[in-house]
Each structure stands twice: as structure tokens, then as C-alpha cells.
Amino acid sequence: MNYNELVTNIRNYTEVGSNVFTEPVINVFITMAENQILREIDLDVFKLEVTGNMTQGNKFLTAPSDLLTHRYMILTPASGDQLFLDFRDTSFMKEYWANGSTQGTPKYYSVWDQNTFYIAPTPNQNYSVELGYIYRPAQLSSANPTTWISINAPEALLYACLIQAYSYTKGPAEMMQYFRAAYKEAIQGLGTEQQGRRRRDEYRDGMLRIPLKSESPGP
């Protein structure tokens, strides 16, 4: 489903025309819908690993501009041995390494703000670092008419947008309930694909099976 098809479907499902559901309004629905999907499910396609450099004496490391969620950080000393840094809360870091001017081999990292990681101990030399993270993809729009979500999870995207649309118009409660249930079913199906079929070794684990509810026998 491309952008124009999504816009048409939102207006048709809600029976609200372009005079109310203008393009800027619908773009807000899409932003909120995509954010909801990205927060609720871990999508393999949006995983990245990038390399960077820690600088001696600098306890801060700039985060990628498209970072949504960090996954791991690996330090690569000159010896070539990989060291996985443990993630900790900033309060732990401040207590553990109260004297930030003292330097050592980094062991921990935390999120300082949305643009920066905090490293402890403060690097005692320059280090190469690998960061694994989930990135925020470009939003579906008239300038970007298709995305991975719009093509591979159109049902989840549409129903998530319709939830926003009905919230906007204060539509009937029963319709809101229907779209919430439809969205939940769509996101569960996507989750089964991502966390089941793509992350299982069928040779070892067998085929993916979905439990079915068994009704109690009657009297």
C-alpha cells in the first residue's frame, strides 16, 4: 500500500473528506501510527550496526541521528579482542565513576540524552566501537510514497491510522473497539513472523506452531 492508497483508505473507512482530513492531518495520523508500531514490535529490518570512535579523555559518545533503541555496544581495543560494554543507568555511572577525569578501559555505557551516550570509565586511549541499534525509518509521505511497513504490514499501518482518525473525530466507541482489535490481530501476526519464523532454526526447533484455544467439552 502506498501513501495515496493509505490516504484514500483512511477517508473511505471514516467517510470523512479531504476538507477535514487534510494531508497535514493525515500525516500526523501516520506519524503516530508508525511510532506505535515501532514501539510495540522489534522489526529485524530496522536493525543496524555502525562503527565509531571513542576519544581518549572524552566520556561522551555521539549517538546516531536516526537511533530509536540501542541494542549493544562493543569496544575493540588495539589488541583486537572484543569487549561488550554493559548498559547501566546514568545514576549508576555517576556513582561508579565519580571522578570523570580519571581514565581507564571503558566497561559501561548509558544514555546521557537523545544525542549522546555516557561512557565509564573515561577512555584512557582512542577506541574503535561498534554500536547495534534499531533505527527510525523515514516516514511514509507524499515525498516517500512507500516504506517497508506500508508494503509488508499494510493492515497494521491502516488500522493504527484509523485508531488515530477515530480519536480525532471522536467516532463511535464500537468502531474504535473494532479497529483496536483489528490492529492487535495485525500486529500479533507481524510479531509471529518476526519473532517466530525469522528467528527460529526449523531443523532444531521444528515448524512454528501457534497454540489454539481448546474449548471445554459440554456436559
Side-chain angles (χ1 to χ4, degrees):
M1 180 165 54
N2 61 35
Y3 175 79
N4 290 333
E5 290 169 338
L6 178 60
V7 170
T8 299
N9 283 327
I10 293 171
R11 290 170 178 164
N12 288 345
Y13 271 74
T14 58
E15 297 182 339
V16 176
S18 59
N19 57 324
V20 175
F21 281 175
T22 61
E23 185 171 313
V25 169
I26 287 182
N27 286 343
V28 173
F29 297 161
I30 294 173
T31 298
M32 298 177 75
E34 289 182 337
N35 285 344
Q36 182 176 1
I37 292 170
L38 291 170
R39 290 187 182 111
E40 290 189 4
I41 189 166
D42 179 12
L43 294 169
D44 290 340
V45 69
F46 299 130
K47 288 182 176 180
L48 278 182
E49 183 177 89
V50 296
T51 58
N53 295 287
M54 292 183 185
T55 304
Q56 181 180 358
N58 185 0
K59 60 187 176 183
F60 297 109
L61 179 68
T62 301
S65 60
D66 59 352
L67 183 143
L68 183 64
T69 305
H70 61 89
R71 297 172 53 230
Y72 58 82
M73 188 179 293
I74 304 173
L75 196 69
T76 306
S79 63
D81 297 328
Q82 290 188 330
L83 300 174
F84 277 83
L85 272 62
D86 292 327
F87 179 75
R88 292 290 188 271
D89 186 81
T90 305
S91 58
F92 169 88
M93 306 279 279
K94 298 291 286 185
E95 181 178 359
Y96 168 76
W97 206 250
N99 186 359
S101 62
T102 305
Q103 301 176 14
T105 302
K107 294 175 59 179
Y108 305 106
Y109 77 104
S110 68
V111 174
W112 181 258
D113 58 34
Q114 64 179 358
N115 301 314
T116 315
F117 291 110
Y118 181 70
I119 309 299
T122 303
N124 58 354
Q125 63 183 59
N126 295 339
Y127 290 99
S128 296
V129 63
E130 296 176 1
L131 175 70
Y133 70 103
I134 306 292
Y135 75 91
R136 181 183 297 278
Q139 180 179 311
L140 184 72
S141 65
S142 57
N144 185 40
T146 59
T147 63
W148 188 94
I149 292 177
S150 76
I151 293 172
N152 295 278
E155 304 92 341
L157 179 60
L158 174 59
Y159 291 131
C161 286
L162 289 172
I163 290 170
Q164 299 301 325
Y166 270 81
S167 297
Y168 183 86
T169 60
K170 299 177 174 61
E174 61 273 15
M175 291 303 298
M176 176 68 80
Q177 185 177 1
Y178 169 80
F179 288 129
R180 288 187 186 278
Y183 169 77
K184 183 178 180 180
E185 182 177 350
I187 207 72
Q188 285 177 342
L190 184 60
T192 298
E193 176 185 334
Q194 289 294 303
Q195 298 176 9
R197 296 190 179 97
R198 292 190 181 182
R199 299 185 187 176
R200 291 170 60 92
D201 184 336
E202 190 170 302
Y203 177 78
R204 293 190 178 93
D205 302 327
M207 293 185 65
L208 180 66
R209 291 176 173 83
I210 300 175
L212 298 177
K213 183 179 179 180
S214 178
E215 300 292 340
S216 300

